[in-house]
């Protein structure tokens, strides 16, 4: 049957014309025709019953003879019989052959046509021309009704016409053989021919509509299967990206900590150069991993905007500071126009958009000048990132916002990535109700704009503490590191030890572990044997005599951890964790540990750090 939830036509659903297999068999053809025929047959034959009874009353009043009551009874019985057949068909059992109902309909229709025709002859024999004219008008009307309701089953329609109309013509000949009756008889025959042509054309039109409905339903079924396949492929892609990025986090996280440790080791010139190249390659791999993470998060709808006041000057200044070293390596000169404006937006998502635009310009416009600023446009504020690079061809200016699209430009042989940056910018802009536009000419550079930012009042914030002397603040901080990955444990221990921390590392926690021996808990969320880091943090705090600052490191999703970690006041660090992020959280924990007599933290630093770090796209903004 036609899919009632798809694009199958209402006609198809009404007729029930389409079987599941849609094979054009004779049985299939008969079924949909009978569905169509009997869908309104009950009402049609009840109307026919009423018409014949009214006509019979007129004939009785005219005193035409004893045949009129017989005619009325015959019409009543046949009309009710056909109405009953139609009703029985609509409630038939599947085992009953539909052809039985079709045959019964044709036989009864032929009988009614004969009764109409015989009545016309009897009327001509016992009445005046005026009553025969009345009878002709009634019969002609019912004949038109038969065509309109029975044209789908041509045998019933033709039986109805040609059992009654020829006898009507004969009735006019019985009435007289003059010119008038002869002409009228001829017109009755032509009327029958006209009705036949009309019924044939209507039958063909319905057949064509049914064929179109069948074809459309078949195409719709193909489209639904294709759509389901595409949705499944998209879901597979999202799962692959999420799993691949998760698997990449562990080694990248460990390598990053090892590289940071090596920065504090005395190396020769050649060793420093090698370490610098490793650091650059690691940064490139980290950016790629984060793009995969952000893309998979957008695909599954895990990114939820948190709108608030954002200082454009601070946001863009932070992006410029992060881009300064890559810009220097690519010989790009950045000009930044400070801005005093505040807007309402999600700070982390807006930061990611600007960061991606700036990184893209540095990557594809080596040796160029780059301008980053704010301007008014169409009654709102716009963030502008303009470069003097090679530019983008007009046919590519919309294509660059699609996933995995990279446009080859001169002197970009070293450009890395998967072509995800601008697609992420475009999707985040739609999420925030913004627009991203590009204007570019080959050899003249490109200008990207984030349009539609509404102004906001500046937010009042506490003064920041100077980070000076952070190394001394971490000296002697007792840290418990729990991670089931040995490479991550070793790299974390080496880095924290160089910062002056007293570190104990293990792959699991037991009841023998005394929580009062530690000033900070650094746990991996996904431990061996299905153990959960956050649960261990709760247990250790419950056994401790005072509140212990803690941070959770995870290589998986963070959205489901946000609320419980806020409730527990535990910072979340998403792998790969930059050393500056880890140091920021440790400094926050050290500040919150100053009053050891309290059972709750004395500082808002830990919750603030958690808020800063739980959003994947905001990780880089936590480098304080």
């Amino acid at each position: 049957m036609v899919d009632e939830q798809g694009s199958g036509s209402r006609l198809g659903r009404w007729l029930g014309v389409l079987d599941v297999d849609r094979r054009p068999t004779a049985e299939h053809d008969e079924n949909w025709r009978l569905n169509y025929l009997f869908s309104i047959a009950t009402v049609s034959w009840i109307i026919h019953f009423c018409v014949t009874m009214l006509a019979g009353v007129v004939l009785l009043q005219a005193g035409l003879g004893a045949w009129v009551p017989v005619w009325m009874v015959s019409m009543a019985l046949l009309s009710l019989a056909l109405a009953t057949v139609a009703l029985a068909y609509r409630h038939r059992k599947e085992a009953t052959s539909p052809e039985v109902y079709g045959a019964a309909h044709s036989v009864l229709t032929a009988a009614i046509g004969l009764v109409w025709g015989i009545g016309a002859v009897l009327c001509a024999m016992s009445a005046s021309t005026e009553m025969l004219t009345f009878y002709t008008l009634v019969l002609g009307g019912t004949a038109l009704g038969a065509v309109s309701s029975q044209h789908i089953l041509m045998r019933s329609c033709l039986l109805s016409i040609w059992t009654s109309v020829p006898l009507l013509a004969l009735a006019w000949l019985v009435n007289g053989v003059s010119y008038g009756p002869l002409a009228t008889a001829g017109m009755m025959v032509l009327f029958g021919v006209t009705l036949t042509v009309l019924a044939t054309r209507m039958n063909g039109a319905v057949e064509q509509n049914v064929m179109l409905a069948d074809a459309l339903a078949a195409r719709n079924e193909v489209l639904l299967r294709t759509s389901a396949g595409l949705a499944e492929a998209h879901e597979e892609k999202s799962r692959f990206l999420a799993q691949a990025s998760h698997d990449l986090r562990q080694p990248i996280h460990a390598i990053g900590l090892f590289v940071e440790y090596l920065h504090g080791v005395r190396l020769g010139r050649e060793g420093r150069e090698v370490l610098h190249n490793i650091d650059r390659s690691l940064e490139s791999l980290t950016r790629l991993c984060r793009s995969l993470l952000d893309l998979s998060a957008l695909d599954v709808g895990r990114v939820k905007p948190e709108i608030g006041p954002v200082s454009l000057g601070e946001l863009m200044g932070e992006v410029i500071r992060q881009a300064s070293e890559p810009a220097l390596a690519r010989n790009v000169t950045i000009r930044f126009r400070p801005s005093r404006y505040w807007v309402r937006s999600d700070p982390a998502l807006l930061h990611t958009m600007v960061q991606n635009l700036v990184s893209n310009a540095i990557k594809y416009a080596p040796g160029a000048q780059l301008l980053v600023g704010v301007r008014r446009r169409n009654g709102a504020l716009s963030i502008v990132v303009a470069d003097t690079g090679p530019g983008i061809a007009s046919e590519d200016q919309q294509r660059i916002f699609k996933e995995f699209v990279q446009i080859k430009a001169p002197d970009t042989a070293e450009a890395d990535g998967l072509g995800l940056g601008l697609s992420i910018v475009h999707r985040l802009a739609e999420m925030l109700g913004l627009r991203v536009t590009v204007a570019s000419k080959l050899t003249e550079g490109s200008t990207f704009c984030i349009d539609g930012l509404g102004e906001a009042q500046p937010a009042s914030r506490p003064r920041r503490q100077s980070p000076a002397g952070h190394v001394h603040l971490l000296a002697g901080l007792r840290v418990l590191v729990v991670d089931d990955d040995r490479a991550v444990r070793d790299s974390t221990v080496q880095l924290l030890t160089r910062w002056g921390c007293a570190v104990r590392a293990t792959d699991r926690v037991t009841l023998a572990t005394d929580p009062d021996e530690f000033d900070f808990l650094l746990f991996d969320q996904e431990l061996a044997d299905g153990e959960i880091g956050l649960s261990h943090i709760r247990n250790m705090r419950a056994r401790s005599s005072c509140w212990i600052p803690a941070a959770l490191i995870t290589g998986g999703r963070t959205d489901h951890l946000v609320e419980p970690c806020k409730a527990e006041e535990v910072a979340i660090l998403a792998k790969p964790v930059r050393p500056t992020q880890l140091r920021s959280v440790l400094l926050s924990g050290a500040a919150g540990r100053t009053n050891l007599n309290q059972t709750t933290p004395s500082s808002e630093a830990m919750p603030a750090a958690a808020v800063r770090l739980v959003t994947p796209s905001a990780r880089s903004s936590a480098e304080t």
Side-chain angles (χ1 to χ4, degrees):
M1 307 296 280
V2 175
D3 181 6
E4 295 190 12
Q5 297 179 350
S7 60
S9 66
R10 180 175 297 179
L11 173 65
R13 295 197 303 270
W14 180 41
L15 304 182
V17 298
L18 303 178
D19 291 340
V20 175
D21 58 4
R22 294 185 174 85
R23 290 174 296 180
T25 62
E27 180 182 358
H28 172 267
D29 182 73
E30 184 75 9
N31 285 353
W32 76 258
R33 291 179 184 278
L34 293 178
N35 290 341
Y36 184 102
L37 176 68
F38 288 123
S39 61
I40 60 171
T42 303
V43 175
S44 298
W45 289 112
I46 290 177
I47 293 174
H48 180 269
F49 168 81
C50 295
V51 169
T52 54
M53 293 305 100
L54 290 174
V57 170
V58 174
L59 296 176
L60 282 175
Q61 290 180 345
L64 300 185
W67 67 270
V68 175
V70 176
W71 181 89
M72 291 179 66
V73 171
S74 300
M75 284 295 189
L77 292 175
L78 290 170
S79 297
L80 294 177
L82 278 165
T84 303
V85 169
L87 189 63
Y89 177 85
R90 292 169 62 182
H91 296 85
R92 77 187 189 282
K93 296 180 179 180
E94 293 184 1
T96 307
S97 174
E99 296 180 358
V100 174
Y101 296 92
H105 182 274
S106 297
V107 171
L108 292 173
T109 301
I112 284 185
L114 287 172
V115 173
W116 272 110
I118 293 172
V121 173
L122 294 174
C123 183
M125 295 173 61
S126 58
S128 63
T129 302
E130 181 180 358
M131 289 306 300
L132 182 59
T133 302
F134 166 77
Y135 193 94
T136 300
L137 291 175
V138 177
L139 194 157
T142 57
L144 283 173
V147 170
S148 64
S149 61
Q150 301 174 28
H151 61 270
I152 200 62
L153 193 63
M154 284 299 294
R155 69 166 182 263
S156 291
C157 188
L158 293 177
L159 285 171
S160 177
I161 295 171
W162 294 106
T163 53
S164 58
V165 173
L167 291 176
L168 179 62
L170 178 62
W172 279 97
L173 292 177
V174 170
N175 186 256
V177 291
S178 62
Y179 177 78
L182 287 173
T184 304
M187 285 189 288
M188 291 300 100
V189 175
L190 292 176
F191 179 64
V193 173
T194 302
L195 291 179
T196 301
V197 172
L198 179 62
T200 303
R201 291 178 63 87
M202 292 176 67
N203 182 274
V206 174
E207 281 186 342
Q208 187 174 11
N209 286 340
V210 169
M211 291 174 62
L212 289 174
D214 197 346
L216 287 174
R219 292 287 180 88
N220 183 60
E221 194 171 274
V222 173
L223 288 175
L224 287 175
R225 287 198 300 266
T226 304
S227 177
L230 290 175
E232 184 177 354
H234 182 74
E235 184 67 23
E236 286 290 336
K237 183 202 75 172
S238 299
R239 286 196 294 266
F240 168 76
L241 290 177
Q243 186 61 43
S245 59
H246 174 272
D247 294 342
L248 285 171
R249 287 182 181 196
Q250 289 287 93
I252 294 175
H253 175 64
I255 293 170
L257 298 181
F258 279 127
V259 168
E260 179 66 17
Y261 174 79
L262 289 176
H263 277 299
V265 177
R266 291 185 179 182
L267 300 172
R269 180 178 178 181
E270 185 177 351
R272 288 196 302 272
E273 185 176 346
V274 171
L275 183 61
H276 177 68
N277 289 333
I278 294 174
D279 206 4
R280 287 184 58 190
S281 298
L282 179 63
E283 179 63 25
S284 173
L285 185 59
T286 301
R287 285 198 305 269
L288 186 139
C289 182
R290 286 175 180 167
S291 294
L292 290 174
L293 287 172
D294 290 340
L295 181 64
S296 62
L298 288 169
D299 281 342
V300 299
R302 293 206 310 263
V303 179
K304 304 297 181 183
E306 297 182 5
I307 306 300
V310 182
S311 170
L312 291 182
E314 291 186 12
L315 183 144
M316 292 190 298
E318 181 64 27
V319 171
I320 299 304
R321 284 192 293 274
Q322 294 169 11
S324 58
E325 186 174 345
L328 183 63
R330 301 284 287 173
N331 196 27
V332 174
T333 302
I334 301 180
R335 294 171 53 202
F336 169 51
R337 293 182 179 178
S339 173
R340 58 180 176 81
Y341 290 111
W342 286 67
V343 296
R344 285 192 59 79
S345 187
D346 183 299
L349 301 184
L350 188 60
H351 180 281
T352 297
M353 294 174 66
V354 179
Q355 185 182 50
N356 284 1
L357 290 179
V358 171
S359 299
N360 196 70
I362 293 173
K363 182 192 303 182
Y364 288 99
Q369 291 187 350
L370 179 62
L371 173 64
V372 182
V374 179
R375 71 181 182 188
R376 286 196 173 276
R377 188 177 183 182
N378 299 327
L381 296 176
S382 299
I383 297 176
V384 181
V385 179
D387 65 70
T388 58
I392 306 169
S394 57
E395 62 269 18
D396 293 328
Q397 290 180 14
Q398 294 305 315
R399 198 164 65 90
I400 58 177
F401 291 104
K402 296 181 179 179
E403 295 174 4
F404 306 107
V405 171
Q406 287 182 299
I407 305 301
K408 182 65 178 176
D411 196 22
T412 59
E414 297 181 1
D416 53 9
L418 294 175
L420 295 175
L422 291 180
S423 68
I424 291 174
V425 171
H426 179 70
R427 292 176 65 173
L428 291 178
E430 290 183 337
M431 185 178 296
L432 295 174
L434 305 175
R435 298 180 305 279
V436 180
T437 60
V438 58
S440 181
K441 289 185 179 181
L442 289 175
T443 73
E444 295 185 14
S446 305
T447 300
F448 288 85
C449 295
I450 301 174
D451 298 326
L453 291 163
E455 287 191 61
Q457 293 296 322
S460 58
R461 296 177 301 182
R463 296 179 59 186
R464 292 184 178 178
Q465 298 290 331
S466 173
H470 61 267
V471 173
H472 300 293
L473 291 175
L474 295 179
L477 187 70
R478 299 172 298 172
V479 182
L480 173 63
V481 176
V482 181
D483 198 306
D484 59 344
D485 189 297
R486 181 165 183 167
V488 173
R489 273 202 321 274
D490 292 345
S491 59
T492 305
V493 169
Q494 291 182 12
L495 183 61
L496 296 187
T497 301
R498 188 165 67 82
W499 288 346
C501 300
V503 187
R504 178 182 169 186
T506 181
D507 61 347
R508 62 179 63 246
V509 177
T510 65
L511 292 176
T513 306
D514 185 2
D516 289 329
E517 294 180 359
F518 304 101
D519 302 320
F520 196 96
L521 306 177
L522 186 62
F523 278 64
D524 186 55
Q525 170 67 357
E526 297 90 7
L527 298 172
D529 300 326
E531 295 186 7
I532 302 300
L534 185 58
S535 299
H536 284 298
I537 291 175
R538 290 194 188 104
N539 294 335
M540 291 201 69
R541 282 179 170 176
R543 293 190 290 116
S544 175
S545 59
C546 58
W547 185 85
I548 310 175
L552 202 62
I553 301 178
T554 178
R557 293 170 48 190
T558 59
D559 55 315
H560 66 291
L561 294 173
V562 174
E563 292 303 323
C565 283
K566 281 185 178 181
E568 299 285 344
E569 297 184 275
V570 175
I572 304 176
L573 293 166
K575 296 178 183 178
V577 180
R578 291 186 178 184
T580 48
Q581 296 173 332
L582 179 58
R583 185 170 55 222
S584 175
V585 172
L586 290 174
L587 287 169
S588 300
R593 187 72 170 176
T594 55
N595 186 352
L596 300 182
N597 294 323
Q598 295 188 154
T599 56
T600 56
S602 59
S603 168
E604 292 297 322
M606 284 299 293
V611 171
R612 249 195 342 264
L613 298 174
V614 292
T615 308
S617 56
R619 285 186 294 269
S620 55
S621 67
E623 297 179 19
T624 59

